[in-house]
Amino acid sequence: MALNGIEFLVMLAMMAGLAVVMGRWLARAFTGEAHWAVERLSYRALGVDPAERMGWARYGLALLLSNAAMMALAYLLLRLQGLLPLNGLGNAAQAPDLAFNTAASFITNTNWQSYSGEISLSNATQMVAITFLMFCGATAGVAAAGGFIRGLSRASSQDVGNYWVDFMRVLWRVMLPLCFVMALVYVWQGMPQTLSSQAVVTTVEGARQQIILGPVASFETIKHIGTNGGGFFGMNAAHPFENPTPLTNLLHILSMLLIPSALTVTFGTVLARKRQGWVFFGAFLVMFIGFLALVYGAEQAGNPLLTRAGADQAISSTQPGGNMEGKELRFGIADTALFVATTTAATTGSVNAMHDSLTPMGGFVPLAQMMLNCVFGGDGVGFINLIQYAILTVFLAGMMIGRTPEFLGKKIEAREIKLVMLSVLAHPASILGFTALASLWPDTGASLSNPGAHGFSEVLYAYTSGTANNGSAFAGLNANTPFFNTTIGLAMLVGRYLTLLPMLAVAGSLAAKKAVAAGPGTFPTATPLFMGLLVFVVLVVGGLTFLPALALGPVVEQLQMLQP
């Protein structure tokens, strides 16, 4: 166990080092004046003016309409899949409700899949629809973070930048170069990268076996760097073609955390408040380490019911001990727990184990992280979600001492708090509202593999994953029905746009305000005290909001398991 602790510390140290490098690179991309030639060509192709200055409303509208157009295009391609080339397996078009769910899923950076990739999609749709949206959804989130940070950095201004400039710079300077290099590394590690749909081989026993192939390496790069998470194969990152070696497992984890952690450094660099950026990084890290310790401890402790039955679940030189159900032996409990904590902290959704097989408290961790939605969070939006809690924290602190709250040299007034609360409340309203509806829906029982508390957890997890734009699942739920495809698709759209757009409005509102000098009564926010208070507010607000639902699911299941 000591070695596992050292492994966790080394990974976190690598993440912090990469965050500095990537954060500075993103800061240069967001603040540079010169446009690359390929970016100028892109502006001309789209017919947009890179010199246009956009207020938050124009910026948000450009994001929303472009995302809607790309979603519609992906829906059309999925409905016409049977007519497209590169379909060697002859996969039919997706049904209307499934195509809506898939298109909504990938444009919102959720990548929830109500289908198994290798038997539902062709190589054409995997590349032209799915991989295309994985790039665009992730890039839009990071671009929005760029506009948001720019808004926070300005005073007496109606300008938060140009959405198309931010989008193209993130795409051409960050996503594509990183993914190209990483794809070469993945091919070196043994991932397939081919346009062939299958290979038929003869096994050592003489039988013929069909092996599904495709452009897996390029898919995996944006899957993790873009905090997307969709699987080329149904087994996702547990499949040896998607995750063949310990090195690829580590690279997957670092890729998921790369941009979410780096945006704290970007923030500190752009605003010339590096200490403030590290305070936000520290808040991310404190929550992440706490949840990692919880899931690792729960899985390593194993199942008390098996212990009472006489099973030996102690770690030893001959066995990993603990709860190994649904896990790959090649990863073990430590690397699985690290992957579980990372994929839901960064709201990626990629999995290297079956989350449905986690212990109740092990399953509590991914649920809780997605409910909070700011333990690093997805590309761009995770940092924005943390800032909403930071504004809420300074508001509460200001009210306690009887002063008008201030944040980054701007006064926080009623308009900003109303917008923040709209964003804060949209998240639980979607999760709890759709979960309640599904619990009352007459056909829900037929989709469940488990009754009782665990069955409720499966439904709760589905809408939490959809709303948090995560995409992982407990997988005991058959979500490929018209009801679940439609409602989870709607949850994804709510979770993406009804939380993001109000915060862009907050950035626009703060950009228009005059900067005020810090006074004796100003609550300092670049301190360990504020970091602790911020984490406290995140946990209390999230805990009070979701505790009743969690009590009906993993908490009661854990208590039932402990009964003699």
Side-chain angles (χ1 to χ4, degrees), residues 475-512:
L477 172 72
N478 172 27
N480 191 10
T481 67
F483 172 78
F484 281 113
N485 280 333
T486 303
T487 54
I488 294 175
L490 292 173
M492 297 170 195
L493 297 173
V494 170
R496 181 68 162 186
Y497 301 109
L498 288 189
T499 58
L500 177 58
L501 295 177
M503 291 307 296
L504 281 177
V506 169
S509 179
L510 292 178

Side-chain angles (χ1 to χ4, degrees), residues 294-343:
L294 182 56
V295 67
Y296 174 69
E299 296 308 300
Q300 193 63 69
N303 188 332
L305 297 176
L306 293 178
T307 300
R308 290 200 292 270
D312 181 9
Q313 297 185 84
I315 188 171
S316 69
S317 59
T318 59
Q319 67 169 11
N323 173 39
M324 281 299 294
E325 179 190 339
K327 298 177 177 65
E328 291 276 295
L329 280 173
R330 61 199 177 106
F331 298 135
I333 287 177
D335 284 343
T336 300
L338 181 57
F339 208 100
V340 168
T342 301
T343 194

Side-chain angles (χ1 to χ4, degrees), residues 148-491:
F148 182 80
I149 291 171
R150 194 179 294 110
L152 297 182
S153 71
R154 293 181 173 174
S156 302
S157 173
Q158 300 295 326
D159 172 19
V160 297
N162 185 303
Y163 172 74
W164 295 110
V165 171
D166 290 338
F167 185 94
M168 290 303 169
R169 288 186 175 185
V170 172
L171 179 65
W172 290 109
R173 302 186 188 191
V174 179
M175 294 298 182
L176 287 172
L178 278 177
C179 290
F180 179 79
V181 172
M182 191 64 76
L184 296 179
V185 175
Y186 283 162
V187 170
W188 165 55
Q189 285 293 294
M191 289 188 197
Q193 181 67 22
T194 176
L195 295 180
S196 299
S197 300
Q198 62 178 322
V200 179
V201 299
T202 302
T203 67
V204 292
E205 294 88 359
R208 292 177 63 78
Q209 180 181 353
Q210 180 192 44
I211 299 175
I212 305 299
L213 299 172
V216 181
S218 57
F219 186 100
E220 288 298 301
T221 57
I222 189 58
K223 165 182 170 177
H224 292 108
I225 292 172
T227 63
N228 286 288
F232 194 97
F233 300 97
M235 289 173 61
N236 209 285
H239 196 289
F241 283 176
E242 290 200 30
N243 196 1
T245 68
L247 177 59
T248 59
N249 195 67
L250 174 63
L251 292 175
H252 288 344
I253 291 170
L254 292 173
S255 294
M256 286 187 269
L257 295 172
L258 178 62
I259 292 176
S261 62
L263 283 170
T264 61
V265 178
T266 303
F267 169 88
T269 303
V270 173
L271 273 71
R273 294 173 179 261
K274 294 184 179 180
R275 189 174 177 184
Q276 183 71 72
W278 284 112
V279 165
F280 290 141
F281 181 87
F284 278 149
L285 196 61
V286 166
M287 292 186 285
F288 179 76
I289 291 174
F291 282 116
L292 173 60
L294 182 56
V295 67
Y296 174 69
E299 296 308 300
Q300 193 63 69
N303 188 332
L305 297 176
L306 293 178
T307 300
R308 290 200 292 270
D312 181 9
Q313 297 185 84
I315 188 171
S316 69
S317 59
T318 59
Q319 67 169 11
N323 173 39
M324 281 299 294
E325 179 190 339
K327 298 177 177 65
E328 291 276 295
L329 280 173
R330 61 199 177 106
F331 298 135
I333 287 177
D335 284 343
T336 300
L338 181 57
F339 208 100
V340 168
T342 301
T343 194
T344 47
T347 63
T348 305
S350 175
V351 296
N352 73 347
M354 180 61 69
H355 285 196
D356 200 36
S357 294
L358 297 171
T359 61
M361 291 313 296
F364 172 93
V365 168
L367 267 171
Q369 291 193 129
M370 292 185 294
M371 288 170 171
L372 298 179
N373 205 24
C374 62
V375 187
F376 285 108
D379 278 2
V381 295
F383 179 76
I384 294 174
N385 291 339
L386 186 69
I387 297 297
Q388 77 180 7
Y389 280 106
I391 294 174
L392 186 58
T393 300
V394 297
F395 172 75
L396 295 174
M399 293 300 98
M400 286 191 288
I401 63 175
R403 283 183 56 89
T404 301
E406 297 173 15
F407 182 61
L408 304 177
K410 311 286 181 61
K411 290 190 178 295
I412 303 299
E413 298 174 306
R415 172 178 167 80
E416 290 78 39
I417 292 301
K418 289 176 182 178
L419 290 167
V420 165
M421 291 311 301
L422 176 60
S423 180
V424 168
L425 293 175
H427 185 69
S430 175
I431 294 172
L432 300 177
F434 282 118
T435 300
L437 177 62
S439 298
L440 297 173
W441 193 258
D443 297 331
T444 296
S447 291
L448 293 174
S449 302
N450 299 279
H454 194 76
F456 176 78
S457 294
E458 290 172 350
V459 176
L460 178 64
Y461 195 107
Y463 289 108
T464 303
S465 180
T467 303
N469 301 140
N470 178 263
S472 65
F474 262 7
L477 172 72
N478 172 27
N480 191 10
T481 67
F483 172 78
F484 281 113
N485 280 333
T486 303
T487 54
I488 294 175
L490 292 173

